[in-house]
């Protein structure tokens, strides 16, 4: 293995490079050596790389002149031209070697590379190619221009550190900008390299659950049909285009947009070309719309301009420039260690170049210096030179660093990614020369914060924020109905009654309100329903309860009057002891009225009708027997003496009452046990109310219960009608007929209202029906007799009743 590495080092030295590292332009001696990788040979990148090259030298010189950072220690550097992905190994192997040899299996404590750390190269693909060679020995690779998120994986790249943001941070920032302006219909264009591929992958990942739809995406090669791409985007009505690509691809996209008259778009520039100095000067660029970029906060480097002027070469040697241009034309794209293009640049060219990576390379050198400061245990006066510095020692300190550089905080997370502080830059192409204006900021600490000054944003339409949505946003109370493949494309549908749409939860669903809530059509929230039932404090409830109370008092009073006058003819003709059963049943029936008020319960639902139904039926059975007995005495005793004898002998009236009451009791028990009456919350009748009502229970069992009661009433009416011509004192036809007709009419009215009207007052009507039924019997049957007992005692004598019977007998005999 050692032989292979040594062979590679020698092979690359011999065949790929003509190295002249001794030149002071690429090498500086020092106590500790830093490595630098820059693509100096590329014509397109020569200005940028010269700028970064100069910033590295400037930072090293500034640190060496500092009396506090590394007081008695000097830094040196060795800069190599990064040729290509495949012709890059010479410089890397040179950096990690010691005296021209490499021992990859050596322990970290024993291993000492040529450099203690290095910076570069620019670009994700180039970095991914060489990073494994450097990071396997934990040599800090403090990079200024590789953003691929793959490099944050510390298992694969344990010593990779970057001072520029990762693609993850850049994509998150772009997504925040898109969401800030409310756009959701966007295109994403990139190139076919690690930088763009990684960015597209992250963009697709992080737009999930953001409401953003990627309407078009493409990875372009340099030979792609850029005109076709921009036409496709324009045809899809996409007005926001993210160009996450290197500057050479971005230039082709922008030129294609200008050439094809693509107008009024918003172009979001990734940091690789956001501060490009040439593109804003392209003729016709104003027509394509608004360009927004993300970049460093354009921090100035104090003293850098003076440094560049002092180091500038060839500005006064015009003949040298002409000669250099001729050589450049012959050496295009050749890999050499002489910066042929550097001599063509003036100090102004370097200073005015894009500052996109300026602070990144500057902070990279200072990061290494601060880590070395910690390793050497430096104080304000000196550093401990007795410490043997190993590359991995610097790596341990880098993660702990937190220092300020030109007012900017430099700090790294667990993946050695920086805590970014970026800017949103607006291209002002309508002025000459074009300008870059910071219109917003993006900070990751203490939390992710995007701030954009809307008053400084000037849009291409000189008005409001451009529209880039597949569909217009739905009005409040309307849910989205998906239309097509993308979730951003939809129609709007008004949410029906008792439902609502919550855009923060799910804009595509009308959620049903809870049973205790309600809403109108097109609602965004539900309102709490009011729970209604007849309360004790309501006027109708008070009136009914007072009526029931007076009714009970009156029944008790009649009971007492009848008990006191028990042996009188009026009481005996009314039924004697049977009257007390009737009065007691009516009193107990009246008690059920009080279960209709207050918050209902299952027990109250059972008692309110069961008590009344049973005891009122007992009373009706007594009336039926009483009517039958009178008819028997006056009309059937003579015709059927034996039957009448048996009836009297075996107390037929009580047997009938007991039998009918028992049958009715059984039917009531079945009614209350088979699908019993229960409490329900009626939430469907009214939108804003929940009515607590009692179901009637099983229809069949209820019908049986009502049939028994109503059938007994019918028999009572029949017997009363048969005795309509009996003596006046025994003739109950009118009173019984009146009370039972009132009973029937009252309950028919109640059931009609129950089936046709939905209101909490239906319950009160039920109670009124019970009171009315009881009053019918009380005032038609008992009150007239009480009146005679109290106010006409002369009619409550045996003589009066005997005279009445004799008159009836004489009338019958005459007929």
């Amino acid at each position: 293995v050692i032989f292979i590495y040594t062979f590679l080092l020698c092979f690359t030295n011999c065949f790929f490079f003509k190295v002249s590292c001794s030149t002071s332009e690429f090498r500086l001696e020092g106590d500790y050596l830093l490595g630098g990788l820059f693509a100096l040979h590329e014509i397109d990148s020569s200005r940028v790389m010269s700028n970064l090259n100069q910033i590295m030298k400037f930072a090293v010189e500034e640190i060496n002149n500092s009396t506090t950072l590394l007081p008695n220690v000097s830094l040196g550097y060795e800069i190599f031209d990064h040729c290509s992905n495949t012709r890059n190994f010479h410089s890397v192997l040179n950096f990690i070697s010691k005296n021209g040899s490499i021992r990859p299996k050596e322990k970290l404590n024993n291993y000492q590379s040529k450099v203690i750390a290095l910076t570069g190269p620019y670009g994700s693909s180039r970095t991914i190619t060489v990073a494994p060679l450097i990071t396997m020995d934990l040599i800090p690779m403090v990079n200024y221009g590789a953003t691929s998120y793959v490099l944050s994986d510390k298992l694969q790249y344990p010593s990779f550190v970057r001072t520029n943001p990762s693609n993850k941070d850049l994509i998150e920032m772009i997504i925040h900008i898109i969401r800030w302006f409310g756009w959701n219909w966007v295109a994403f264009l990139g190139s076919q390299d690690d930088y763009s591929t990684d960015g597209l992958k992250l963009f697709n990942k992080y737009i999930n659950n953001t409401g953003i739809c990627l309407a078009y995406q493409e990875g372009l090669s340099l030979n792609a049909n850029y005109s076709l791409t921009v036409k496709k985007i324009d045809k899809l009505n996409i007005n926001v285009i993210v160009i996450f690509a290197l500057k050479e691809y971005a230039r082709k996209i922008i030129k294609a947009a200008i050439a094809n008259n693509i107008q009024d778009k918003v172009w979001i520039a990734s940091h690789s070309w956001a501060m490009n100095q040439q593109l804003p000067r392209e003729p016709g660029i104003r027509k394509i719309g608004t360009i927004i970029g993300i970049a460093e906060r354009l921090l100035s480097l104090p003293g850098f301009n003076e440094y560049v002027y002092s180091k500038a070469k060839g500005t006064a040697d015009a003949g040298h420039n002409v000669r250099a241009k001729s050589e450049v034309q012959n050496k295009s794209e050749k890999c050499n260690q002489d910066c042929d293009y550097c001599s063509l640049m003036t100090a102004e060219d370097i200073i005015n170049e894009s500052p996109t990576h300026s602070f990144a390379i500057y902070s990279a050198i200072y990061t290494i210096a601060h880590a070395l400061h910690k390793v050497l245990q430096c104080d304000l006066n000196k550093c401990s030179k007795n410490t043997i510095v190993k590359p991995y020692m610097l790596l341990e300190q880098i993660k702990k660093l937190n220092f300020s550089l030109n007012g900017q905080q430099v700090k790294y997370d667990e993946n050695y990614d920086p805590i970014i502080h970026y800017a949103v830059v607006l291209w002002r192409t309508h002025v000459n020369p074009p300008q870059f204006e910071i219109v917003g900021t993006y900070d990751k600490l203490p939390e992710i914060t995007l701030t954009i000054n809307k008053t400084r944003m000037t849009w291409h339409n000189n008005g409001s924020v451009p529209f880039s949505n597949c569909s217009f946003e739905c009005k409040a109370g309307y849910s989205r109905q998906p239309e097509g493949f993308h979730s951003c494309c939809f129609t709007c549908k008004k949410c029906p009654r008792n439902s609502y749409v919550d855009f923060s939860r799910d804009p595509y669903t009308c959620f049903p309100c809870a049973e205790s809530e309600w809403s109108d059509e097109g609602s965004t929230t539900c309102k709490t329903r009011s729970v209604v039932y007849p309360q004790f404090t309501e006027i109708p409830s008070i009136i009914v309860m007072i009526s029931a109370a007076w009714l009970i008092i009156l029944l008790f009073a009649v009971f007492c009057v009848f008990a006191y006058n028990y042996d009188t003819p009026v009481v005996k003709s009314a039924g004697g002891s049977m009257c007390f059963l009737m009065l007691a049943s009516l009193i107990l029936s009246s008690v059920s009225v009080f279960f209709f008020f207050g918050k209902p319960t299952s027990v109250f639902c059972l008692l309110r009708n069961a008590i009344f139904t049973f005891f009122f039926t007992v009373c009706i059975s007594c009336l039926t027997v009483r009517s039958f007995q009178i008819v028997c005495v006056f009309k059937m005793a003579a015709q059927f003496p034996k039957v009448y004898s048996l009836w009297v002998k075996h107390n037929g009236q009580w047997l009938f009452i007991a039998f009918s009451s028992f049958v009715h009791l059984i039917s009531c028990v079945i009614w209350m046990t088979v699908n019993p009456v229960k409490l329900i919350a009626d939430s469907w009748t009214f939108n804003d109310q929940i009515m607590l009502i009692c179901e009637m229970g099983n229809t069949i069992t209820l019908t049986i219960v009502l049939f028994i009661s109503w059938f007994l009433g019918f028999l009572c009416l029949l017997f009363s009608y048969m005795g309509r011509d009996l003596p006046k004192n025994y003739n109950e036809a009118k009173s019984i007929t009146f009370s039972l007709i009132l009973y029937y009419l009252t309950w028919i009215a109640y059931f009609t209202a129950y089936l046709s009207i939905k209101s909490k007052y239906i319950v009160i009507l039920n109670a009124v029906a019970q009171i009315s039924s009881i009053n019918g019997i009380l005032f038609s049957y008992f009150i007239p007799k009480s009146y005679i007992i109290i106010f006409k005692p002369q009619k409550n004598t045996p003589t009066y009743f005997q005279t009445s019977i004799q008159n009836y007998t004489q009338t019958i005999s005459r007929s």
Side-chain angles (χ1 to χ4, degrees):
V1 177
I2 295 173
F3 171 76
I4 292 174
Y5 273 86
T6 305
F7 171 77
L8 283 173
L9 184 60
C10 295
F11 181 78
T12 51
N13 271 324
C14 294
F15 291 95
F16 286 109
F17 293 97
K18 295 179 181 179
V19 182
S20 54
C21 295
S22 59
T23 173
S24 61
E25 189 174 358
F26 298 103
R27 183 178 179 83
L28 177 68
E29 296 293 336
D31 297 324
Y32 298 97
L33 196 63
L34 309 182
L37 291 173
F38 300 92
L40 300 173
H41 67 287
E42 294 182 359
I43 296 176
D44 289 342
S45 303
S46 58
R47 287 190 177 187
V48 176
M49 292 305 145
S50 294
N51 176 278
L52 298 181
N53 179 17
Q54 293 293 340
I55 292 175
M56 178 180 178
K57 296 176 185 178
F58 166 68
V60 170
E61 184 172 311
E62 196 174 57
I63 292 167
N64 286 339
N65 292 334
S66 171
T67 59
T68 56
L69 186 54
L70 297 171
N72 59 334
V73 174
S74 64
L75 293 179
Y77 56 78
E78 190 166 316
I79 298 173
F80 276 91
D81 180 11
H82 174 83
C83 298
S84 67
N85 291 343
T86 57
R87 304 179 67 188
N88 184 45
F89 293 103
H90 165 78
S91 54
V92 175
L93 295 173
N94 188 292
F95 285 150
I96 66 175
S97 66
K98 182 179 182 182
N99 299 324
S101 64
I102 301 172
R103 295 181 179 181
K105 294 288 186 179
E106 195 164 358
K107 293 181 180 180
L108 290 177
N109 286 333
N110 299 329
Y111 181 73
Q112 182 67 56
S113 59
K114 182 177 181 179
V115 296
I116 60 170
L118 61 89
T119 185
Y122 175 76
S124 297
S125 296
R126 294 165 176 168
T127 303
I128 290 172
T129 302
V130 300
L133 288 174
I134 299 168
T135 59
M136 69 177 180
D137 292 320
L138 297 184
I139 300 173
M141 187 179 185
V142 188
N143 191 279
Y144 59 85
T147 61
S148 175
Y149 190 54
V150 174
L151 292 164
S152 296
D153 186 351
K154 295 303 109 178
L155 291 177
Q156 295 188 58
Y157 309 99
S159 64
F160 179 82
V161 184
R162 59 174 141 219
T163 54
N164 62 318
S166 67
N167 279 348
K168 175 179 176 292
D169 291 326
L170 296 173
I171 290 297
E172 284 181 342
M173 183 177 177
I174 290 173
I175 291 173
H176 273 84
I177 293 173
I178 293 172
R179 297 187 70 185
W180 176 277
F181 292 110
W183 299 317
N184 65 22
W185 193 239
V186 302
F188 190 101
L189 299 180
S191 47
Q192 296 175 353
D193 53 27
D194 293 313
Y195 170 68
S196 295
T197 302
D198 183 57
L200 177 58
K201 179 181 177 182
L202 291 168
F203 190 80
N204 275 301
K205 177 181 178 181
Y206 289 113
I207 62 173
N208 284 335
N209 301 319
T210 63
I212 298 173
C213 291
L214 184 54
Y216 185 85
Q217 61 183 28
E218 187 174 357
L220 300 163
S221 65
L222 286 173
N223 299 322
N225 189 337
Y226 288 81
S227 294
L228 180 62
T229 297
V230 295
K231 287 178 181 177
K232 286 180 181 178
I233 293 173
D234 191 48
K235 191 174 181 180
L236 290 170
N237 293 321
I238 304 170
N239 292 327
V240 173
I241 302 141
V242 178
I243 303 180
F244 200 86
L246 300 177
K247 62 182 181 182
E248 52 267 30
Y249 297 91
R251 185 183 298 116
K252 285 180 174 289
I253 295 171
I254 296 299
K255 285 185 176 181
I258 296 171
N260 289 276
N261 197 30
I262 304 299
Q263 298 184 5
D264 301 333
K265 306 292 184 185
V266 177
W267 308 81
I268 300 179
S270 65
H271 84 302
S272 61
W273 66 281
M275 299 299 296
N276 187 279
Q277 302 295 306
Q278 287 76 42
L279 264 181
R281 294 176 171 83
E282 283 288 333
I285 196 170
R286 288 181 59 185
K287 295 181 180 179
I288 69 171
T290 303
I291 301 178
I292 302 171
I294 55 175
E296 287 279 2
R297 291 194 182 170
L298 309 186
L299 299 170
S300 61
L301 304 178
F304 177 65
N305 294 356
E306 292 78 5
Y307 172 82
V308 172
Y309 281 118
S310 68
K311 300 294 182 180
K313 295 182 180 180
T315 53
D317 187 358
H320 179 75
N321 280 353
V322 173
R323 186 169 59 255
K325 289 179 181 178
S326 177
E327 293 175 359
V328 165
Q329 293 172 356
N330 296 326
K331 292 183 178 182
S332 177
E333 296 301 329
K334 289 184 179 179
C335 204
N336 59 81
Q337 194 63 10
D338 293 319
C339 184
D340 299 310
Y341 309 99
C342 297
S343 58
L344 298 177
M345 299 176 197
T346 64
E348 286 78 10
D349 290 334
I350 296 174
I351 292 170
N352 294 329
E353 189 45 56
S354 169
T356 299
H357 301 287
S358 297
F359 187 77
I361 183 65
Y362 187 68
S363 60
I365 304 305
Y366 266 89
T367 292
I368 298 170
H370 275 271
L372 185 60
H373 176 92
K374 298 288 185 182
V375 172
L376 295 177
Q377 301 176 347
C378 301
D379 55 26
L380 294 176
N381 300 315
K382 63 178 181 178
C383 298
S384 175
K385 288 190 173 183
N386 296 327
T387 304
I388 298 175
V389 179
K390 303 291 183 180
Y392 74 88
M393 296 179 180
L394 272 70
L395 189 64
E396 292 175 353
Q397 296 300 327
I398 287 175
K399 185 179 287 189
K400 304 174 186 177
L401 291 180
N402 187 0
F403 62 93
S404 179
L405 185 61
N406 284 8
Q408 181 77 19
Q409 183 186 23
V410 179
K411 186 179 180 182
Y412 301 93
D413 61 18
E414 65 276 3
N415 295 322
Y416 294 104
D417 290 335
I419 305 303
I420 67 168
H421 306 273
Y422 250 48
V424 180
V425 179
L426 177 67
W427 285 26
R428 296 199 176 277
T429 55
H430 61 282
V431 297
N432 192 16
Q435 298 175 357
F436 302 97
E437 182 180 356
I438 296 179
V439 294
T441 58
Y442 180 81
D443 295 285
K444 204 171 180 181
L445 281 181
E447 60 182 8
I448 294 179
T449 306
L450 173 68
T451 303
I452 295 178
N453 189 338
K454 294 182 179 179
T455 60
R456 301 177 70 177
M457 289 294 302
T458 54
W459 301 103
H460 49 266
N461 55 8
N462 294 321
S464 59
V465 177
F467 181 80
S468 187
N469 299 66
C470 183
S471 303
F472 285 96
E473 191 54 76
C474 293
K475 297 178 182 178
Y478 286 73
S479 66
R480 299 175 182 174
Q481 302 297 306
E483 192 174 64
F485 174 76
H486 293 284
S487 61
C488 298
C489 302
F490 50 82
T491 56
C492 299
K493 181 181 178 182
K494 182 183 284 189
C495 288
R497 190 181 73 173
N498 291 332
S499 67
Y500 71 100
V501 61
D502 183 355
F503 274 30
S504 63
R505 181 181 174 188
D506 181 4
Y508 297 90
T509 304
C510 289
F511 296 98
C513 294
E515 190 174 353
S516 59
E517 298 176 329
W518 71 282
S519 70
D520 291 320
E521 281 187 329
S523 296
T524 56
T525 58
C526 291
K527 304 173 185 176
T528 302
R529 295 176 187 261
S530 57
V531 180
V532 297
Y533 51 86
Q535 299 186 31
F536 289 108
T537 54
E538 294 184 38
I539 299 299
S541 302
I542 294 173
I543 292 173
V544 173
M545 286 188 292
I546 291 174
S547 300
W550 277 109
L551 179 60
I552 293 172
I553 293 171
L554 192 57
L555 286 168
F556 267 113
V558 172
F559 189 97
C560 293
V561 169
F562 271 57
Y564 185 77
N565 298 277
Y566 179 74
D567 293 325
T568 63
V570 170
V571 175
K572 289 182 178 180
S573 67
S577 58
M578 194 179 297
C579 293
F580 301 110
L581 177 59
M582 293 171 64
L583 288 168
S585 297
L586 292 177
I587 291 171
L588 291 173
S589 297
S590 302
V591 172
S592 65
V593 172
F594 296 97
F595 295 111
F596 284 93
F597 307 103
K599 189 172 184 179
T601 63
S602 297
V603 175
F604 275 30
C605 286
L606 284 172
L607 294 178
R608 62 172 55 170
N609 279 308
I611 292 176
F612 171 81
T613 302
F614 174 72
F615 287 106
F616 192 79
T617 301
V618 171
C619 182
I620 291 179
S621 66
C622 292
L623 281 176
T624 302
V625 168
R626 181 61 187 154
S627 300
F628 177 74
Q629 277 186 312
I630 294 174
V631 172
C632 284
V633 168
F634 286 96
K635 291 189 175 184
M636 296 179 65
Q639 298 177 16
F640 306 100
K642 290 184 179 181
V643 174
Y644 178 72
S645 176
L646 289 173
W647 175 269
V648 174
K649 180 179 179 181
H650 297 288
N651 293 317
Q653 71 273 22
W654 292 109
L655 288 176
F656 180 82
I657 293 171
F659 175 76
S660 59
S661 299
F662 177 76
V663 172
H664 193 258
L665 178 63
I666 295 300
S667 65
C668 287
V669 171
I670 295 173
W671 174 41
M672 290 185 290
T673 54
V674 178
N675 191 15
V677 176
K678 59 184 178 181
L679 174 67
I680 62 170
D682 179 357
S683 59
W684 55 87
T685 301
F686 298 104
N687 279 342
D688 58 345
Q689 295 179 358
I690 294 179
M691 288 195 302
L692 297 182
I693 59 177
C694 298
E695 276 189 332
M696 286 297 188
N698 186 273
T699 305
I700 296 176
T701 55
L702 174 62
T703 303
I704 294 173
V705 169
L706 293 177
F707 174 77
I708 294 172
S709 179
W710 287 32
F711 178 72
L712 289 173
F714 172 76
L715 291 178
C716 186
L717 279 174
L718 181 62
F719 293 139
S720 298
Y721 178 78
M722 291 171 63
R724 65 187 182 281
D725 57 349
L726 295 178
K728 185 177 180 181
N729 292 335
Y730 294 92
N731 191 339
E732 309 292 349
K734 292 182 180 179
S735 61
I736 292 177
T737 300
F738 172 79
S739 63
L740 290 177
I741 289 176
L742 180 63
Y743 166 66
Y744 287 134
L745 292 178
T746 299
W747 285 99
I748 289 172
Y750 165 70
F751 281 114
T752 302
Y754 176 80
L755 294 173
S756 59
I757 301 173
K758 298 295 182 181
S759 170
K760 70 175 182 178
Y761 295 110
I762 290 295
V763 177
I764 295 180
L765 187 59
N766 191 349
V768 170
Q770 293 184 5
I771 293 174
S772 178
S773 300
I774 297 169
N775 278 327
I777 295 175
L778 174 64
F779 283 93
S780 65
Y781 191 82
F782 288 103
I783 292 298
K785 293 174 173 51
S786 299
Y787 177 80
I788 292 173
I789 293 172
I790 298 172
F791 297 105
K792 293 186 177 183
Q794 68 275 13
K795 293 183 178 183
N796 189 20
T797 62
T799 303
Y800 181 82
F801 272 76
Q802 189 66 34
T803 302
S804 178
I805 294 172
Q806 289 174 356
N807 291 335
Y808 172 76
T809 304
Q810 292 174 2
T811 303
I812 291 297
S813 62
R814 290 194 194 101
S815 62

